[in-house]
Amino acid sequence: MSVVVIVYNDEARLPTAVRSVLEQSLRSVEVVIVDDHSTDGSYEVARRLAAEHPGRVRAYRLPENSGGCGAPRNHGIQQTRGEYVLFLDSDDVLERDACRNFLEAAETTGADLVSGMCVRVHVDSRHRKEVKWYPWLYARTRTLDSIAELPDLLVFDTLSTNKCYRRQFLVDAGLEFPVGIHYEDLLFSAQAYTAARRITLIPNRVYDWNVVEKADAKSISNRRAEIANFAHRMEMHRRVDRLLAEKDMAELKFRKDVKFLKHDLVLHLRDLPFRDAAYRQEFAALARTYLESIDPAAYDEVEPIHAVCAYLLRMSDWDNLLPAVDTLTNRDKVSAPLAERDGRVYWCAEHIDEDPFARRILDVTELGYHTRPVSKLFPRNELTEYRQEREKGRAGVVRLAGRVTNPLGVVPAGARLTAELEFYARRKGLRLQTFRFPVATVRHEGPYVSWEASADLAKGLRPLGIVDAVWDVRLHLDVDGERTTTRLTATRPGLTTGEIPVRPRLTRLVADRIEPEVSSRGHLAFRLVPGKKANDLVVRGLQGTPGRLAKTGFRKAKALRAKATSGETKLRLYHDVFLRMPVQKRLVVFESHLGRQYSDSPRAIYEEMRRQGLDFEAVWSYTGSPKGFPADATLVRRWSLPYLRALARAEYWIDNQSYPLKLTKRPGTTYIQTWHGSALKRMGFDEAGWKLKSRPEQAEQQRTLDRFDHFLIRSEHDVRTLAKAFRLREKTLLRVGYPRNDELVRAREATERPPLAVELGIPSDKKVLLYAPTFRHHGQRRFALPFDVDRFAEEFGDQYVLLVRAHYLNHVVLPPSVRGRVIDVSDHHDVTPLLALADALITDYSSVMFDYALLDRPMLFFPHDYEEYVHQGRGTYFDLLERAPGPVVRTEDELHAVLAASSLEEQTVKYAAARERFVADFGEYDEGTAAQRIADEFFSEWKKKAQ
């Protein structure tokens, strides 16, 4: 095997690269060093290595510098003698077994090309962070007879260095690297992939790509401030496109278009706000020509913000593009005022009237910006003015002004506005205090909120010095009592300049000035500027023994703090400390859906205990925000130390899913497991995945289930399914029904509509339909509705209001066009009041079907993906299509037909017998008294004595 090592002005690292080849576990490997006419001692080092290893290392030098990697690699190929060829850059290394693994794969499969795992090693990071290069491509060994079998390989892994090539293949195919142009790997790899008769992928690590983030000289591919860099990339993409066209590989071209929009273009777009007008115009001209060659369908395969940026770049619409790039860089930021037309939300009002393609691309409705209240906004805050006051005695005063984006007028014109600026140290753990300055002027200006402030940094900003060298800035905007926080975007070239005097707390010898800088994300920050003599003194101190001791002590303290708050430490505290404390009588810990909600049967039991006036201490766990949880209980964050302490000392645990699996329940604690629904899909040890676990894993799972002292049952179906699947003992089962359903049993006889209808703004003359699907796993939280809500609202909006309740693990976005006719109620903690309000239920496989049946109201079943759900998922305990107590529809058209053909009253009568059987089978113990029976059985002794 021959390894071609190319080098240019890298004399220090070249020996390490060569050594990684000479020390391969496969000995029959030669090194061919090609120096690209270095100006340092690289060629002398290469010759010395050749002299030290005669027969194994040979060194060559090009007569003049080629300016790239192509020419030296091509020369190296000509000099190789091995049957196989590899390429190695002088600043990288081969993994020790790389050649052996390559050779074994090539000889076994007869492949022309073998590719292995590349790992990016950040050598200047503290812990040498490692990032695998597209690891999913190398999850297993596989051999391809054509690159068409795995298009992602050509699209994503464009490196030439993590591959082994049969030399005769390179010769026969006439493969050479392009010369005089950068990004040569893009074309060479594409040519190799498409020419290879067989390609083998191996899951072995073969190549370490050493990355130096803080290098003085950027690598060729990272010199994105040079417009030539982008021009070279565009030319390479055009050449690859021509190659794919010649090979008649349209599918590969399409996949490559998608990747260009969401990766290659994004790399350069992120730097665009920092460039001047001349650069931007040239960049747009280069990009526009290539973007016009991209398949329009590729825009539908990328995230909306990627498509928006590409389109606006084509149009050279800088006013709308630069804010879009801000959102591209800061994903949660809302950077544009947005425009609403015909019930859809668009990035901007421009273009959409005259260009149908623009109307499609600029539609950002699905991002849900229109659903965010002020408190959940992260709006763009563009810095419009920055200047230092130069008057006598005001040398440290900075005048700042900006404008905050007001998307879709979420900040109303008459709102009361106040704001303050906050300066805080960037380094985590050192934010001992922050410095705030009031904003003098805040005013509403249509699509923006403008502000002006003066900050006396000389008096107000008191950094420690050395350890808090960088300070970030944010603006807190208060709108009628609701607060949103923004960062100051300051990408306009030349806006922020000049030094400002400050008074560090340690000593002015360290630093007595700060200067503004712009972060990589475009936000204003300030950095301490030390004097040269003081800086040299500090650097020597930090590099000397006192500095090393100080840094070591700081790192140890940081590690100790991390360890003290780690999960392992918390578990040890729970078992070794908290469990040794005595049980606290009458302490009850409640939890619903892993702390996400105040809902379900735990809520019903808690409220019944309060209604009866029982004397007990209640603790509710929460995840995220405590908003919506009861004010008359102690609230603890899940997995916090107060949470663990409460669980360890509680007399009772009450939840509907599971307390953390690794927490042991003490014998003195009673665990009442209410569970969260009867089972349609297979559960527990009835699942195929559980059956495949090892015996120790199954035993560990069983130990967590054995913590249940009592398990609530609502029917004998639960006994045959849940109880059996969890291997619960008969004495554990409580046949009392679900406390959460007590309200539904009572609602069945109610004659008045619940007050929730008024809260939701539902007119009295409209019926309420509730759509409540089960959980869907799509890799993202957003759940795509299986029907067109605009069409639904248009056809049935005069008759019905549709409530959409997504599973708590999913998220749905409704367009503004359906406002008032379709309402997202997913944020309501408890589904029970929604069930009680609904005149009919539409669901698929959700367990709410068993609860809603108690109301004896119409139910429609929409299992649009039934075969996939049943046969590719866990499987089900019974055939829903046979036992559904209502019409089953499989398509949107069928759903509309059922709703249009008959009234809810007709459905009520038609399926009355089926619903009665359904309740008898799945809700026989739901009699409306479950919460009371639980309170009476376990807590009756806690009733307060009369005074």
PDB file of all heavy atoms in Angstrom, residues 67 180-183 219-236 238 268 275 278-279 282-283 286:
ATOM      1  N   GLY A  67      -0.579  25.944  -5.114  1.00  0.00           N
ATOM      2  CA  GLY A  67      -1.656  26.655  -4.443  1.00  0.00           C
ATOM      3  C   GLY A  67      -2.821  25.792  -4.013  1.00  0.00           C
ATOM      4  O   GLY A  67      -3.838  26.305  -3.577  1.00  0.00           O
ATOM      5  N   GLY A 180      -5.283  23.848  -9.654  1.00  0.00           N
ATOM      6  CA  GLY A 180      -5.498  25.275  -9.760  1.00  0.00           C
ATOM      7  C   GLY A 180      -6.855  25.734  -9.253  1.00  0.00           C
ATOM      8  O   GLY A 180      -7.268  26.861  -9.529  1.00  0.00           O
ATOM      9  N   ILE A 181      -7.534  24.873  -8.526  1.00  0.00           N
ATOM     10  CA  ILE A 181      -8.838  25.213  -8.001  1.00  0.00           C
ATOM     11  C   ILE A 181      -9.021  24.483  -6.677  1.00  0.00           C
ATOM     12  O   ILE A 181      -8.550  23.344  -6.509  1.00  0.00           O
ATOM     13  CB  ILE A 181      -9.953  24.846  -9.007  1.00  0.00           C
ATOM     14  CG1 ILE A 181     -11.302  25.384  -8.531  1.00  0.00           C
ATOM     15  CG2 ILE A 181     -10.006  23.352  -9.263  1.00  0.00           C
ATOM     16  CD1 ILE A 181     -12.387  25.301  -9.608  1.00  0.00           C
ATOM     17  N   HIS A 182      -9.693  25.146  -5.734  1.00  0.00           N
ATOM     18  CA  HIS A 182      -9.908  24.546  -4.418  1.00  0.00           C
ATOM     19  C   HIS A 182     -11.110  23.610  -4.441  1.00  0.00           C
ATOM     20  O   HIS A 182     -11.814  23.504  -5.434  1.00  0.00           O
ATOM     21  CB  HIS A 182     -10.110  25.626  -3.361  1.00  0.00           C
ATOM     22  CG  HIS A 182      -8.957  26.590  -3.277  1.00  0.00           C
ATOM     23  ND1 HIS A 182      -7.650  26.194  -3.436  1.00  0.00           N
ATOM     24  CD2 HIS A 182      -8.918  27.950  -3.057  1.00  0.00           C
ATOM     25  CE1 HIS A 182      -6.856  27.244  -3.309  1.00  0.00           C
ATOM     26  NE2 HIS A 182      -7.600  28.320  -3.097  1.00  0.00           N
ATOM     27  N   TYR A 183     -11.345  22.936  -3.326  1.00  0.00           N
ATOM     28  CA  TYR A 183     -12.437  21.964  -3.178  1.00  0.00           C
ATOM     29  C   TYR A 183     -12.312  20.836  -4.204  1.00  0.00           C
ATOM     30  O   TYR A 183     -13.292  20.335  -4.728  1.00  0.00           O
ATOM     31  CB  TYR A 183     -13.811  22.653  -3.304  1.00  0.00           C
ATOM     32  CG  TYR A 183     -14.032  23.727  -2.279  1.00  0.00           C
ATOM     33  CD1 TYR A 183     -13.929  25.072  -2.628  1.00  0.00           C
ATOM     34  CD2 TYR A 183     -14.315  23.405  -0.955  1.00  0.00           C
ATOM     35  CE1 TYR A 183     -14.103  26.064  -1.679  1.00  0.00           C
ATOM     36  CE2 TYR A 183     -14.500  24.397  -0.002  1.00  0.00           C
ATOM     37  CZ  TYR A 183     -14.388  25.735  -0.361  1.00  0.00           C
ATOM     38  OH  TYR A 183     -14.564  26.714   0.580  1.00  0.00           O
ATOM     39  N   SER A 219      -7.380  27.334   7.074  1.00  0.00           N
ATOM     40  CA  SER A 219      -7.242  26.386   5.971  1.00  0.00           C
ATOM     41  C   SER A 219      -7.964  26.937   4.755  1.00  0.00           C
ATOM     42  O   SER A 219      -8.799  27.844   4.854  1.00  0.00           O
ATOM     43  CB  SER A 219      -7.818  25.031   6.359  1.00  0.00           C
ATOM     44  OG  SER A 219      -9.217  25.130   6.567  1.00  0.00           O
ATOM     45  N   ILE A 220      -7.664  26.363   3.585  1.00  0.00           N
ATOM     46  CA  ILE A 220      -8.242  26.867   2.336  1.00  0.00           C
ATOM     47  C   ILE A 220      -9.762  26.878   2.400  1.00  0.00           C
ATOM     48  O   ILE A 220     -10.421  27.850   2.036  1.00  0.00           O
ATOM     49  CB  ILE A 220      -7.749  26.009   1.146  1.00  0.00           C
ATOM     50  CG1 ILE A 220      -6.261  26.244   0.925  1.00  0.00           C
ATOM     51  CG2 ILE A 220      -8.535  26.335  -0.112  1.00  0.00           C
ATOM     52  CD1 ILE A 220      -5.634  25.327  -0.104  1.00  0.00           C
ATOM     53  N   SER A 221     -10.361  25.793   2.897  1.00  0.00           N
ATOM     54  CA  SER A 221     -11.818  25.688   2.906  1.00  0.00           C
ATOM     55  C   SER A 221     -12.466  26.624   3.912  1.00  0.00           C
ATOM     56  O   SER A 221     -13.664  26.877   3.836  1.00  0.00           O
ATOM     57  CB  SER A 221     -12.236  24.239   3.199  1.00  0.00           C
ATOM     58  OG  SER A 221     -11.743  23.837   4.457  1.00  0.00           O
ATOM     59  N   ASN A 222     -11.676  27.152   4.868  1.00  0.00           N
ATOM     60  CA  ASN A 222     -12.233  28.046   5.883  1.00  0.00           C
ATOM     61  C   ASN A 222     -11.978  29.515   5.592  1.00  0.00           C
ATOM     62  O   ASN A 222     -12.315  30.378   6.413  1.00  0.00           O
ATOM     63  CB  ASN A 222     -11.657  27.700   7.262  1.00  0.00           C
ATOM     64  CG  ASN A 222     -12.302  26.456   7.847  1.00  0.00           C
ATOM     65  OD1 ASN A 222     -13.483  26.198   7.615  1.00  0.00           O
ATOM     66  ND2 ASN A 222     -11.532  25.682   8.572  1.00  0.00           N
ATOM     67  N   ARG A 223     -11.393  29.826   4.438  1.00  0.00           N
ATOM     68  CA  ARG A 223     -11.134  31.224   4.091  1.00  0.00           C
ATOM     69  C   ARG A 223     -12.356  31.810   3.391  1.00  0.00           C
ATOM     70  O   ARG A 223     -12.307  32.213   2.222  1.00  0.00           O
ATOM     71  CB  ARG A 223      -9.895  31.320   3.198  1.00  0.00           C
ATOM     72  CG  ARG A 223      -8.615  30.873   3.892  1.00  0.00           C
ATOM     73  CD  ARG A 223      -7.449  30.834   2.923  1.00  0.00           C
ATOM     74  NE  ARG A 223      -6.312  30.132   3.497  1.00  0.00           N
ATOM     75  CZ  ARG A 223      -5.257  29.708   2.788  1.00  0.00           C
ATOM     76  NH1 ARG A 223      -5.215  29.922   1.485  1.00  0.00           N
ATOM     77  NH2 ARG A 223      -4.277  29.071   3.371  1.00  0.00           N
ATOM     78  N   ARG A 224     -13.467  31.843   4.126  1.00  0.00           N
ATOM     79  CA  ARG A 224     -14.714  32.240   3.483  1.00  0.00           C
ATOM     80  C   ARG A 224     -14.837  33.752   3.311  1.00  0.00           C
ATOM     81  O   ARG A 224     -15.776  34.227   2.675  1.00  0.00           O
ATOM     82  CB  ARG A 224     -15.893  31.672   4.279  1.00  0.00           C
ATOM     83  CG  ARG A 224     -15.972  30.158   4.179  1.00  0.00           C
ATOM     84  CD  ARG A 224     -17.280  29.645   4.718  1.00  0.00           C
ATOM     85  NE  ARG A 224     -17.339  29.648   6.162  1.00  0.00           N
ATOM     86  CZ  ARG A 224     -16.910  28.646   6.948  1.00  0.00           C
ATOM     87  NH1 ARG A 224     -16.378  27.578   6.391  1.00  0.00           N
ATOM     88  NH2 ARG A 224     -17.004  28.723   8.242  1.00  0.00           N
ATOM     89  N   ALA A 225     -13.883  34.512   3.874  1.00  0.00           N
ATOM     90  CA  ALA A 225     -13.900  35.955   3.660  1.00  0.00           C
ATOM     91  C   ALA A 225     -13.400  36.304   2.262  1.00  0.00           C
ATOM     92  O   ALA A 225     -13.577  37.433   1.800  1.00  0.00           O
ATOM     93  CB  ALA A 225     -13.048  36.660   4.706  1.00  0.00           C
ATOM     94  N   GLU A 226     -12.780  35.338   1.579  1.00  0.00           N
ATOM     95  CA  GLU A 226     -12.274  35.560   0.223  1.00  0.00           C
ATOM     96  C   GLU A 226     -13.337  35.127  -0.774  1.00  0.00           C
ATOM     97  O   GLU A 226     -13.762  33.971  -0.777  1.00  0.00           O
ATOM     98  CB  GLU A 226     -10.976  34.778   0.010  1.00  0.00           C
ATOM     99  CG  GLU A 226      -9.892  35.115   1.020  1.00  0.00           C
ATOM    100  CD  GLU A 226      -8.694  34.171   0.912  1.00  0.00           C
ATOM    101  OE1 GLU A 226      -8.679  33.356  -0.031  1.00  0.00           O
ATOM    102  OE2 GLU A 226      -7.799  34.241   1.776  1.00  0.00           O
ATOM    103  N   ILE A 227     -13.757  36.019  -1.637  1.00  0.00           N
ATOM    104  CA  ILE A 227     -14.812  35.699  -2.595  1.00  0.00           C
ATOM    105  C   ILE A 227     -14.354  34.600  -3.549  1.00  0.00           C
ATOM    106  O   ILE A 227     -15.175  33.811  -4.055  1.00  0.00           O
ATOM    107  CB  ILE A 227     -15.249  36.954  -3.367  1.00  0.00           C
ATOM    108  CG1 ILE A 227     -16.562  36.681  -4.117  1.00  0.00           C
ATOM    109  CG2 ILE A 227     -14.159  37.412  -4.322  1.00  0.00           C
ATOM    110  CD1 ILE A 227     -17.733  36.404  -3.223  1.00  0.00           C
ATOM    111  N   ALA A 228     -13.040  34.497  -3.790  1.00  0.00           N
ATOM    112  CA  ALA A 228     -12.536  33.439  -4.669  1.00  0.00           C
ATOM    113  C   ALA A 228     -12.844  32.060  -4.097  1.00  0.00           C
ATOM    114  O   ALA A 228     -13.045  31.099  -4.846  1.00  0.00           O
ATOM    115  CB  ALA A 228     -11.035  33.609  -4.880  1.00  0.00           C
ATOM    116  N   ASN A 229     -12.867  31.982  -2.777  1.00  0.00           N
ATOM    117  CA  ASN A 229     -13.171  30.710  -2.125  1.00  0.00           C
ATOM    118  C   ASN A 229     -14.559  30.221  -2.539  1.00  0.00           C
ATOM    119  O   ASN A 229     -14.750  29.064  -2.907  1.00  0.00           O
ATOM    120  CB  ASN A 229     -13.082  30.892  -0.609  1.00  0.00           C
ATOM    121  CG  ASN A 229     -13.327  29.615   0.159  1.00  0.00           C
ATOM    122  OD1 ASN A 229     -14.452  29.171   0.283  1.00  0.00           O
ATOM    123  ND2 ASN A 229     -12.257  29.060   0.706  1.00  0.00           N
ATOM    124  N   PHE A 230     -15.522  31.124  -2.517  1.00  0.00           N
ATOM    125  CA  PHE A 230     -16.886  30.759  -2.905  1.00  0.00           C
ATOM    126  C   PHE A 230     -16.970  30.488  -4.402  1.00  0.00           C
ATOM    127  O   PHE A 230     -17.686  29.578  -4.847  1.00  0.00           O
ATOM    128  CB  PHE A 230     -17.850  31.879  -2.520  1.00  0.00           C
ATOM    129  CG  PHE A 230     -19.300  31.551  -2.762  1.00  0.00           C
ATOM    130  CD1 PHE A 230     -19.917  30.515  -2.087  1.00  0.00           C
ATOM    131  CD2 PHE A 230     -20.043  32.272  -3.690  1.00  0.00           C
ATOM    132  CE1 PHE A 230     -21.253  30.206  -2.311  1.00  0.00           C
ATOM    133  CE2 PHE A 230     -21.370  31.978  -3.915  1.00  0.00           C
ATOM    134  CZ  PHE A 230     -21.981  30.936  -3.231  1.00  0.00           C
ATOM    135  N   ALA A 231     -16.230  31.252  -5.197  1.00  0.00           N
ATOM    136  CA  ALA A 231     -16.223  31.026  -6.644  1.00  0.00           C
ATOM    137  C   ALA A 231     -15.709  29.636  -6.973  1.00  0.00           C
ATOM    138  O   ALA A 231     -16.246  28.953  -7.860  1.00  0.00           O
ATOM    139  CB  ALA A 231     -15.372  32.094  -7.334  1.00  0.00           C
ATOM    140  N   HIS A 232     -14.677  29.195  -6.277  1.00  0.00           N
ATOM    141  CA  HIS A 232     -14.139  27.844  -6.501  1.00  0.00           C
ATOM    142  C   HIS A 232     -15.170  26.788  -6.131  1.00  0.00           C
ATOM    143  O   HIS A 232     -15.324  25.776  -6.829  1.00  0.00           O
ATOM    144  CB  HIS A 232     -12.866  27.655  -5.679  1.00  0.00           C
ATOM    145  CG  HIS A 232     -11.687  28.372  -6.242  1.00  0.00           C
ATOM    146  ND1 HIS A 232     -10.376  28.041  -5.940  1.00  0.00           N
ATOM    147  CD2 HIS A 232     -11.597  29.420  -7.102  1.00  0.00           C
ATOM    148  CE1 HIS A 232      -9.549  28.843  -6.568  1.00  0.00           C
ATOM    149  NE2 HIS A 232     -10.269  29.696  -7.276  1.00  0.00           N
ATOM    150  N   ARG A 233     -15.860  26.995  -5.012  1.00  0.00           N
ATOM    151  CA  ARG A 233     -16.867  26.013  -4.601  1.00  0.00           C
ATOM    152  C   ARG A 233     -17.962  25.899  -5.664  1.00  0.00           C
ATOM    153  O   ARG A 233     -18.401  24.805  -6.011  1.00  0.00           O
ATOM    154  CB  ARG A 233     -17.474  26.395  -3.250  1.00  0.00           C
ATOM    155  CG  ARG A 233     -18.431  25.340  -2.695  1.00  0.00           C
ATOM    156  CD  ARG A 233     -19.122  25.832  -1.433  1.00  0.00           C
ATOM    157  NE  ARG A 233     -18.275  25.835  -0.266  1.00  0.00           N
ATOM    158  CZ  ARG A 233     -18.109  24.812   0.564  1.00  0.00           C
ATOM    159  NH1 ARG A 233     -18.730  23.668   0.332  1.00  0.00           N
ATOM    160  NH2 ARG A 233     -17.342  24.922   1.619  1.00  0.00           N
ATOM    161  N   MET A 234     -18.408  27.049  -6.179  1.00  0.00           N
ATOM    162  CA  MET A 234     -19.458  27.024  -7.198  1.00  0.00           C
ATOM    163  C   MET A 234     -18.997  26.307  -8.460  1.00  0.00           C
ATOM    164  O   MET A 234     -19.751  25.532  -9.057  1.00  0.00           O
ATOM    165  CB  MET A 234     -19.870  28.461  -7.549  1.00  0.00           C
ATOM    166  CG  MET A 234     -20.613  29.206  -6.447  1.00  0.00           C
ATOM    167  SD  MET A 234     -22.184  28.429  -5.988  1.00  0.00           S
ATOM    168  CE  MET A 234     -21.646  27.383  -4.639  1.00  0.00           C
ATOM    169  N   GLU A 235     -17.757  26.560  -8.859  1.00  0.00           N
ATOM    170  CA  GLU A 235     -17.248  25.900 -10.062  1.00  0.00           C
ATOM    171  C   GLU A 235     -17.172  24.392  -9.876  1.00  0.00           C
ATOM    172  O   GLU A 235     -17.524  23.621 -10.776  1.00  0.00           O
ATOM    173  CB  GLU A 235     -15.867  26.469 -10.410  1.00  0.00           C
ATOM    174  CG  GLU A 235     -15.166  25.757 -11.571  1.00  0.00           C
ATOM    175  CD  GLU A 235     -15.956  25.811 -12.875  1.00  0.00           C
ATOM    176  OE1 GLU A 235     -16.796  26.728 -13.039  1.00  0.00           O
ATOM    177  OE2 GLU A 235     -15.739  24.926 -13.735  1.00  0.00           O
ATOM    178  N   MET A 236     -16.762  23.951  -8.702  1.00  0.00           N
ATOM    179  CA  MET A 236     -16.694  22.509  -8.439  1.00  0.00           C
ATOM    180  C   MET A 236     -18.085  21.878  -8.461  1.00  0.00           C
ATOM    181  O   MET A 236     -18.271  20.778  -8.989  1.00  0.00           O
ATOM    182  CB  MET A 236     -16.020  22.241  -7.085  1.00  0.00           C
ATOM    183  CG  MET A 236     -14.523  22.234  -7.170  1.00  0.00           C
ATOM    184  SD  MET A 236     -13.960  21.021  -8.381  1.00  0.00           S
ATOM    185  CE  MET A 236     -12.223  21.405  -8.436  1.00  0.00           C
ATOM    186  N   ARG A 238     -20.587  22.897 -10.221  1.00  0.00           N
ATOM    187  CA  ARG A 238     -21.017  22.822 -11.617  1.00  0.00           C
ATOM    188  C   ARG A 238     -20.373  21.634 -12.324  1.00  0.00           C
ATOM    189  O   ARG A 238     -21.017  20.938 -13.114  1.00  0.00           O
ATOM    190  CB  ARG A 238     -20.677  24.130 -12.338  1.00  0.00           C
ATOM    191  CG  ARG A 238     -21.660  25.260 -12.038  1.00  0.00           C
ATOM    192  CD  ARG A 238     -21.424  26.452 -12.940  1.00  0.00           C
ATOM    193  NE  ARG A 238     -20.234  27.179 -12.521  1.00  0.00           N
ATOM    194  CZ  ARG A 238     -20.244  28.203 -11.666  1.00  0.00           C
ATOM    195  NH1 ARG A 238     -21.395  28.605 -11.131  1.00  0.00           N
ATOM    196  NH2 ARG A 238     -19.135  28.819 -11.333  1.00  0.00           N
ATOM    197  N   HIS A 268     -21.485  29.694   3.850  1.00  0.00           N
ATOM    198  CA  HIS A 268     -21.106  31.040   3.407  1.00  0.00           C
ATOM    199  C   HIS A 268     -22.130  32.083   3.807  1.00  0.00           C
ATOM    200  O   HIS A 268     -21.771  33.237   4.077  1.00  0.00           O
ATOM    201  CB  HIS A 268     -20.910  31.032   1.889  1.00  0.00           C
ATOM    202  CG  HIS A 268     -19.753  30.199   1.428  1.00  0.00           C
ATOM    203  ND1 HIS A 268     -18.487  30.717   1.245  1.00  0.00           N
ATOM    204  CD2 HIS A 268     -19.658  28.875   1.144  1.00  0.00           C
ATOM    205  CE1 HIS A 268     -17.670  29.756   0.854  1.00  0.00           C
ATOM    206  NE2 HIS A 268     -18.359  28.631   0.780  1.00  0.00           N
ATOM    207  N   ARG A 275     -19.839  41.007   5.791  1.00  0.00           N
ATOM    208  CA  ARG A 275     -19.130  41.427   4.586  1.00  0.00           C
ATOM    209  C   ARG A 275     -19.666  42.768   4.074  1.00  0.00           C
ATOM    210  O   ARG A 275     -20.824  43.128   4.312  1.00  0.00           O
ATOM    211  CB  ARG A 275     -19.264  40.369   3.480  1.00  0.00           C
ATOM    212  CG  ARG A 275     -18.884  38.973   3.934  1.00  0.00           C
ATOM    213  CD  ARG A 275     -17.398  38.862   4.229  1.00  0.00           C
ATOM    214  NE  ARG A 275     -17.112  37.543   4.817  1.00  0.00           N
ATOM    215  CZ  ARG A 275     -16.508  37.364   5.971  1.00  0.00           C
ATOM    216  NH1 ARG A 275     -16.127  38.405   6.682  1.00  0.00           N
ATOM    217  NH2 ARG A 275     -16.280  36.145   6.429  1.00  0.00           N
ATOM    218  N   ALA A 278     -19.752  45.357  -1.603  1.00  0.00           N
ATOM    219  CA  ALA A 278     -19.115  44.842  -2.824  1.00  0.00           C
ATOM    220  C   ALA A 278     -19.026  43.320  -2.785  1.00  0.00           C
ATOM    221  O   ALA A 278     -19.311  42.633  -3.784  1.00  0.00           O
ATOM    222  CB  ALA A 278     -17.731  45.464  -2.985  1.00  0.00           C
ATOM    223  N   TYR A 279     -18.630  42.793  -1.619  1.00  0.00           N
ATOM    224  CA  TYR A 279     -18.547  41.337  -1.481  1.00  0.00           C
ATOM    225  C   TYR A 279     -19.925  40.709  -1.673  1.00  0.00           C
ATOM    226  O   TYR A 279     -20.074  39.711  -2.375  1.00  0.00           O
ATOM    227  CB  TYR A 279     -17.982  40.985  -0.106  1.00  0.00           C
ATOM    228  CG  TYR A 279     -17.872  39.492   0.158  1.00  0.00           C
ATOM    229  CD1 TYR A 279     -16.660  38.831  -0.011  1.00  0.00           C
ATOM    230  CD2 TYR A 279     -18.971  38.751   0.574  1.00  0.00           C
ATOM    231  CE1 TYR A 279     -16.553  37.468   0.222  1.00  0.00           C
ATOM    232  CE2 TYR A 279     -18.881  37.383   0.807  1.00  0.00           C
ATOM    233  CZ  TYR A 279     -17.664  36.750   0.630  1.00  0.00           C
ATOM    234  OH  TYR A 279     -17.567  35.403   0.862  1.00  0.00           O
ATOM    235  N   GLU A 282     -21.044  40.543  -5.367  1.00  0.00           N
ATOM    236  CA  GLU A 282     -20.324  39.524  -6.124  1.00  0.00           C
ATOM    237  C   GLU A 282     -20.750  38.131  -5.691  1.00  0.00           C
ATOM    238  O   GLU A 282     -20.911  37.225  -6.512  1.00  0.00           O
ATOM    239  CB  GLU A 282     -18.811  39.713  -5.946  1.00  0.00           C
ATOM    240  CG  GLU A 282     -17.994  38.911  -6.944  1.00  0.00           C
ATOM    241  CD  GLU A 282     -16.520  39.283  -6.929  1.00  0.00           C
ATOM    242  OE1 GLU A 282     -16.151  40.255  -6.216  1.00  0.00           O
ATOM    243  OE2 GLU A 282     -15.744  38.618  -7.628  1.00  0.00           O
ATOM    244  N   PHE A 283     -20.951  37.966  -4.390  1.00  0.00           N
ATOM    245  CA  PHE A 283     -21.406  36.674  -3.861  1.00  0.00           C
ATOM    246  C   PHE A 283     -22.768  36.311  -4.451  1.00  0.00           C
ATOM    247  O   PHE A 283     -22.993  35.175  -4.901  1.00  0.00           O
ATOM    248  CB  PHE A 283     -21.498  36.761  -2.334  1.00  0.00           C
ATOM    249  CG  PHE A 283     -21.996  35.521  -1.659  1.00  0.00           C
ATOM    250  CD1 PHE A 283     -21.132  34.507  -1.305  1.00  0.00           C
ATOM    251  CD2 PHE A 283     -23.348  35.359  -1.377  1.00  0.00           C
ATOM    252  CE1 PHE A 283     -21.591  33.356  -0.672  1.00  0.00           C
ATOM    253  CE2 PHE A 283     -23.814  34.229  -0.750  1.00  0.00           C
ATOM    254  CZ  PHE A 283     -22.935  33.228  -0.398  1.00  0.00           C
ATOM    255  N   LEU A 286     -22.552  35.198  -8.104  1.00  0.00           N
ATOM    256  CA  LEU A 286     -22.048  33.830  -8.243  1.00  0.00           C
ATOM    257  C   LEU A 286     -23.105  32.815  -7.844  1.00  0.00           C
ATOM    258  O   LEU A 286     -23.299  31.790  -8.509  1.00  0.00           O
ATOM    259  CB  LEU A 286     -20.800  33.647  -7.375  1.00  0.00           C
ATOM    260  CG  LEU A 286     -19.522  34.352  -7.847  1.00  0.00           C
ATOM    261  CD1 LEU A 286     -18.480  34.331  -6.734  1.00  0.00           C
ATOM    262  CD2 LEU A 286     -18.976  33.684  -9.098  1.00  0.00           C
TER     263      LEU A 286
END
